[in-house]
Every structure is written in structure tokens, then in C-alpha cells.
Amino acid sequence: MSALGQVGDLLQLVPVQRAGAGLVLAALGLPVIGVVIVGLDIMPVRFAMMHVALLGIAVGQLVGLDPVLCALVACALAGAGVAPLARTADGLSGAMGLLMSLAIAAALLMLALSGVNANGAFALLWGSILSVRPADLVVLGALAVAVPALFVRRRRDLALLLHDRELALCSGVAVQRLTVVLLVLVAVAVAGAIRLTGALLVDALTLLPALAARRLGRSLVSITLWAVGIGVVVNVVGFLLALAWDLPPGPVLVLAAGAVALAAHLIPERRTSSWRTSASSSAPPSPSPH
């Protein structure tokens, strides 16, 4: 059977259709989350939320609730709780490191004391794209609507916050509240991607498209559009290649997204104003002292 025929047959299967729909929905929201991660310089957030998700999974297995739902709730609470710990932009990375250490310690202790099978908890972190459920599609669909909607409605405030926290404060942006919203969305997005690629490969859906987009875009809006476009192309093409060659989709998606990001960084930088410059120019002037 030809590769094309094999892909056509596989696309008739419901689990494959759900996986494809999940990847398309993920590409509409998660790359935008990557733009936030890069803009706030909180790269450790992926690892921190992976450990928080493990804690949520352990709780779910212990009390008999859906482990993935518990992981989503745990990540959302962690995202909201960590924001007050960071009074400066640099403090966010430190807060994420603290959160990561506490979450993994609590998860391992709970697994040890409860006697729950730790292999089952860790297995969910690896993900299984063909195990995507309708409930997972609902979460990804909500993110696909909520995240772009937030960027459209608050793009000026977001540009200022991602450019400079102090400048955003002086410009009247509700920095603390907006940071909480962003961190909750980031946390839920990481947890929501667990079923698709696993927490360990979540960069394929979030960070790598954003890194490529920052090289190609000239403003926050164009960077966001580039990130979404790259995410859609990488997810669709990577998934079809994995089906055609009978390969695990997660690693294929990571390699495809990584290749695009690398290619984007080989393009010479454009001599144009960046979105950070645009954000600065859109801020109201500081009042002069009298």
C-alpha cells in the first residue's frame, strides 16, 4: 500500500481524526502562549507546569478522579498562585524554579505514601496523541478561542507588559491582574497539551513556533500571526508525515517545528523597528517633574 493510501485509510479512524482536530485547535492557541513565554522570559514554566501536572495526576489517581482534569486544575491554581510571588520580571523565573521543586517533591511524596502506581502517573506525561478524548478537544477549543481573543482585545497592554513591566505599570496597565491571567493561560495550555505530545514535548506546540515567529514578525500582531501560521503548518504536515511513515507523532512534530525555527534564525535580521520599539512608542509619555 502506498504512503498516500495508508494516510487516507488512517484518517478514516476516529482516534486519528480526534488527534488531527486536536493538533489544529492547539495550533490556534498554543503558539500564542509561546509568544507570552518568550516575552515574559519564563522558559522554566514548561518544566514547572510539567511537575505540577504530575502532582495533579497523582492526586487524581489517589482520589479516583480524572487525572488529566486534576492536572489542569492544579496547573491553573499554580499559575494564579505564582504571580504574586514575582514583583519584578526577573522574579518570575525564580518563582517558577521554586514551584517546580515544591511540586515534584509533593508529587513523589504523595505517590510514595499512597501506594499508587507511579508508572501510570509518569506515563501520562509522555502523552499519546491517539488517546485524545472529546473532553481534551473541548479544552483545546476553549484555548483556541480565549487566547487569540485576549490578544485582540488587550494587544496594546500585552505589548507593553511583554516589553517592560515597569513601563506597563507607568502606562496604567493592570500588570498584576494581567500577569495572573497570562500565567493561568500558560499553565492550562501546558497541561492541555499533555494528551497530544506529552509534557516533555510540549515545546513543539508552544515555544518553537514562537521562536521562529519572533524572527519573522515586525510587531506583536505579526509575530502572533506568524506563530499561529507556523503552528498550523507544522502540526498538520508533521502529523501527516508521521502517519505516512508510521512514526511516533510527538518526536516528528518537535523535529518539524525545530527545523522551521532553525531555518527562521538563518534568515538575516531585517533592519526594521521591532514590536518592542512599537510598544515603547505607544506608551504615554511620563509626566515631567515640576
Side-chain angles (χ1 to χ4, degrees):
M1 180 185 298
S2 66
L4 185 60
Q6 176 177 312
V7 171
D9 291 340
L10 289 174
L11 289 176
Q12 303 302 315
L13 303 176
V14 173
V16 176
Q17 294 174 357
R18 287 178 181 168
L23 285 172
V24 172
L25 290 175
L28 298 177
L30 298 187
V32 186
I33 292 295
V35 174
V36 174
I37 292 175
V38 175
L40 291 178
D41 194 19
I42 49 172
M43 300 299 182
V45 68
R46 300 114 64 214
F47 305 108
M49 291 309 157
M50 180 184 73
H51 291 87
V52 173
L54 178 60
L55 175 59
I57 290 170
V59 171
Q61 290 190 329
L62 177 63
V63 301
L65 297 175
D66 182 2
V68 176
L69 175 61
C70 291
L72 283 169
V73 173
C75 286
L77 293 175
V82 78
L85 298 178
R87 299 301 179 186
T88 65
D90 295 336
L92 280 173
S93 293
M96 290 298 171
L98 174 63
L99 177 63
M100 179 170 57
S101 301
L102 294 178
I104 188 60
L108 293 177
L109 181 61
M110 181 170 295
L111 289 171
L113 294 178
S114 65
V116 173
N117 183 8
N119 291 332
F122 280 99
L124 285 174
L125 291 182
W126 291 101
S128 177
I129 196 169
L130 296 180
S131 67
V132 172
R133 307 162 303 173
D136 301 317
L137 294 180
V138 170
V139 173
L140 293 171
L143 288 170
V145 173
V147 175
L150 176 65
F151 260 66
V152 170
R153 184 174 180 179
R154 304 290 298 276
R155 59 182 180 274
R156 174 189 172 275
D157 292 348
L158 287 168
L160 287 169
L161 176 59
L162 298 182
H163 167 57
D164 186 285
R165 182 186 178 92
E166 297 302 323
L167 178 61
L169 278 171
C170 295
S171 303
V173 178
V175 168
Q176 192 65 24
R177 184 172 59 189
L178 186 56
T179 301
V180 170
V181 172
L182 291 177
L183 289 178
V184 169
L185 286 176
V186 168
V188 172
V190 172
I194 288 178
R195 286 275 181 180
L196 287 176
T197 59
L200 299 178
L201 299 178
V202 72
D203 286 354
L205 302 180
T206 56
L207 192 59
L208 294 178
L211 290 175
R214 278 171 61 89
R215 188 74 174 187
L216 301 171
R218 305 185 185 187
S219 66
L220 182 58
V221 173
S222 64
I223 288 173
T224 303
L225 293 176
W226 270 109
V228 172
I230 291 171
V232 171
V233 171
V234 165
N235 285 3
V236 172
V237 173
F239 186 52
L240 293 177
L241 289 176
L243 293 178
W245 294 343
D246 194 21
L247 296 172
V252 174
L253 291 173
V254 173
L255 291 175
V260 173
L262 180 60
H265 279 75
L266 293 177
I267 300 174
E269 289 192 44
R270 297 171 177 172
R271 295 182 178 179
T272 57
S273 60
S274 67
W275 68 271
R276 293 184 181 275
T277 304
S278 301
S280 299
S281 62
S282 66
S286 302
S288 58
H290 296 287

